[in-house]
Amino acid sequence: MGQIMQSTKKLIHVAVGVIQRDEQIFISKRPDQLHQGGRWEFPGGKVEQGETVVAALTRELMEEVGLQVLDATPLMQLEYAYPEKTVLLDVWLVSQTEGLGEGLEGQQVAWVHFSELSNYQFPDANQPILDKVLALYQAQ
């Protein structure tokens, strides 16, 4: 039997919110000093040990952008391997929130019509999410 190669790369579990209001989607810009900085993203953050994905999503969206999650459903999961780490993106469609949505950590934020999303530069890992979001609206 061959040996199982253990990956030395870190796997980071991230809760991601595709937040929608009518035909608009909420996005935020990553600070320049962060990994993939200067690109736009769907907000969210790391799932802490012992925390559910929904709890992580709710906490992160409140801390980062001041939005209270009222209704969220699973949209998709994907793994993306960057050279230095692998991220597991647990993406949820957030259809109801309370709050305005603001950059509480100094980041730029925007409510963008879904048809305009392709005008923004997202991290490479987000491309399948963008495709899925556009497909949702085209199906309506």
Side-chain angles (χ1 to χ4, degrees), residues 14-68:
V14 179
V16 177
V18 174
I19 305 159
Q20 56 179 167
R21 274 194 189 153
D22 300 316
E23 295 191 336
Q24 294 194 310
I25 304 287
F26 186 80
I27 57 174
S28 61
K29 196 170 190 183
R30 293 182 65 74
D32 290 336
Q33 72 276 13
L34 290 185
H35 183 256
Q36 299 276 306
R39 294 185 179 207
W40 291 84
E41 67 179 354
F42 302 104
K46 285 183 200 151
V47 179
E48 304 294 344
Q49 198 168 350
E51 191 176 40
T52 66
V53 177
V54 174
L57 186 64
T58 302
R59 174 181 53 75
E60 287 284 352
L61 294 184
M62 187 50 94
E63 286 172 6
E64 280 185 24
V65 295
L67 287 171
Q68 175 70 47

Side-chain angles (χ1 to χ4, degrees), residues 55-117:
L57 186 64
T58 302
R59 174 181 53 75
E60 287 284 352
L61 294 184
M62 187 50 94
E63 286 172 6
E64 280 185 24
V65 295
L67 287 171
Q68 175 70 47
V69 175
L70 301 177
D71 189 30
T73 51
L75 183 64
M76 65 189 295
Q77 268 195 346
L78 66 115
E79 258 188 43
Y80 192 87
Y82 288 104
E84 67 282 5
K85 64 184 174 188
T86 299
V87 289
L88 169 62
L89 300 177
D90 216 317
V91 186
W92 289 64
L93 189 62
V94 181
S95 53
Q96 268 193 298
T97 53
E98 206 169 88
L100 298 175
E102 50 196 318
L104 297 179
E105 297 173 344
Q107 75 276 41
Q108 274 182 271
V109 297
W111 285 99
V112 176
H113 190 271
F114 74 88
S115 64
E116 302 286 312
L117 285 173

